Amino acid sequence: MKKEIDNNRTNYRNENKMTASKGILGKIHSWYQAIVRTPRTEVEDDSEAITRPVPSGGCESSDLFFKPGATIQGRYDSYEVLNLISDTAMSEVYKGMSKVHGKEIAIKDYLGSKCFERERYVHKLLDSRGGHGNIIPAHEFVVTEDDHRLGIFPYVAGETLDEIVEREGKLTPKQVLPLVSSLCDALEYIHSLGIVHRDVKPANIMVSAEETIGIKPLEFYPEAMVLRLFDFGTSWHKNILHLD
């Protein structure tokens, strides 16, 4: 009887692992299909994709808490707010400048405490293991006197994958395969630490060119594209189950 119970438990665990693997692979497959352009047999009109406006990298809001020029005091540095670059239902993201190091940074103002706690925990765990080149790291997390919960990240000069697809249309397999490989590396790394991102999508994937390349990598050097996964505000780990 005990042997039968143990076998049932083993089968149950294996089935769960297979289900999880299929879910991850299925999500990557759907993501790949959504952004890849298949080879054409006929000439098509690409005028719409070509003439779409390039995102400006900034946005406006009449109800900003942090105005340009405001100073945020962190534990390790102080930061000057430059301008708003993203405004969503979950957060406001500002471009800023480190006053100590003189480097550009991104300041994420979380509109929910659970997202803040999840991301803070995950980045603390990632940092303790050395981080990963395909994941945007965090400098620090700050709670202001006005009870604003902030994440301070390095500013990455690039575009999200959904912005690129919006401008260029679906990408070719040659352009996408290096990204898929990098994404799988990042996911394998966080999964080895027990982290599940739970919100992998083009809007949470930053793509930028290596600093040594002065032209658009998507057009000429697809191998020079650098993918970085970000936004762990809805992530999962066994130590933060109370946040679900």
Side-chain angles (χ1 to χ4, degrees):
M1 176 66 72
K2 183 177 183 298
K3 185 176 181 181
E4 182 179 350
I5 292 173
D6 290 340
N7 287 337
N8 289 337
R9 285 177 177 171
T10 300
N11 291 336
Y12 176 76
R13 287 169 182 164
N14 289 338
E15 286 175 3
N16 281 347
K17 287 180 181 178
M18 289 178 65
T19 301
S21 297
K22 288 179 181 178
I24 294 168
L25 292 174
K27 194 164 189 177
I28 292 176
H29 179 68
S30 299
W31 173 78
Y32 181 85
Q33 284 187 320
I35 63 175
V36 174
R37 179 174 63 239
T38 56
R40 301 177 186 179
T41 56
E42 298 179 3
V43 176
E44 299 176 2
D45 183 7
D46 279 347
S47 59
E48 182 182 358
I50 295 173
T51 57
R52 284 173 182 161
V54 178
S56 63
C59 55
E60 297 179 357
S61 175
S62 59
D63 191 27
L64 298 182
F65 183 82
F66 295 105
K67 306 295 184 182
T71 297
I72 296 170
Q73 184 59 52
R75 182 179 179 184
Y76 307 109
D77 200 343
S78 58
Y79 311 97
E80 180 184 354
V81 176
L82 299 180
N83 59 278
L84 181 73
I85 55 178
S86 175
D87 186 2
T88 70
M90 303 294 290
S91 65
E92 292 176 352
V93 181
Y94 301 81
K95 184 177 180 180
M97 181 70 69
S98 162
K99 291 191 174 184
V100 173
H101 302 287
K103 294 184 178 181
E104 293 179 329
I105 48 96
I107 305 166
K108 185 175 182 178
D109 184 8
Y110 299 83
L111 304 183
S113 60
K114 289 185 178 182
C115 292
F116 171 79
E117 294 297 340
R118 285 192 191 97
E119 191 141 42
R120 179 166 64 173
Y121 178 84
V122 166
H123 277 286
K124 182 178 180 180
L125 179 56
L126 291 173
D127 186 59
S128 70
R129 301 300 177 89
H132 191 278
N134 296 117
I135 298 174
I136 296 179
H139 289 325
E140 65 171 316
F141 290 87
V142 179
V143 179
T144 68
E145 294 180 355
D146 300 304
D147 203 31
H148 276 256
R149 292 164 172 80
L150 309 174
I152 311 298
F153 302 87
Y155 176 77
V156 178
E159 295 176 283
T160 59
L161 188 56
D162 66 333
E163 289 174 333
I164 293 172
V165 173
E166 176 68 20
R167 186 185 71 246
E168 302 288 340
K170 288 190 175 183
L171 308 179
T172 65
K174 183 179 179 181
Q175 293 168 328
V176 171
L177 285 176
L179 299 182
V180 173
S181 176
S182 296
L183 177 62
C184 288
D185 286 345
L187 292 176
E188 182 180 26
Y189 176 74
I190 66 173
H191 293 169
S192 72
L193 302 180
I195 301 166
V196 182
H197 189 282
R198 297 203 297 190
D199 196 21
V200 177
K201 59 185 180 182
N204 288 336
I205 296 170
M206 182 66 70
V207 180
S208 59
E210 293 180 348
E211 294 181 0
T212 55
I213 305 297
I215 57 179
K216 285 186 179 180
L218 285 174
E219 294 183 359
F220 303 99
Y221 293 97
E223 69 276 7
M225 293 187 293
V226 179
L227 174 146
R228 294 180 177 91
L229 182 65
F230 66 97
D231 196 348
F232 287 83
T234 59
S235 58
W236 181 94
H237 187 273
K238 64 180 182 180
N239 291 344
I240 51 175
L241 289 176
H242 62 282
L243 297 175
D244 280 346

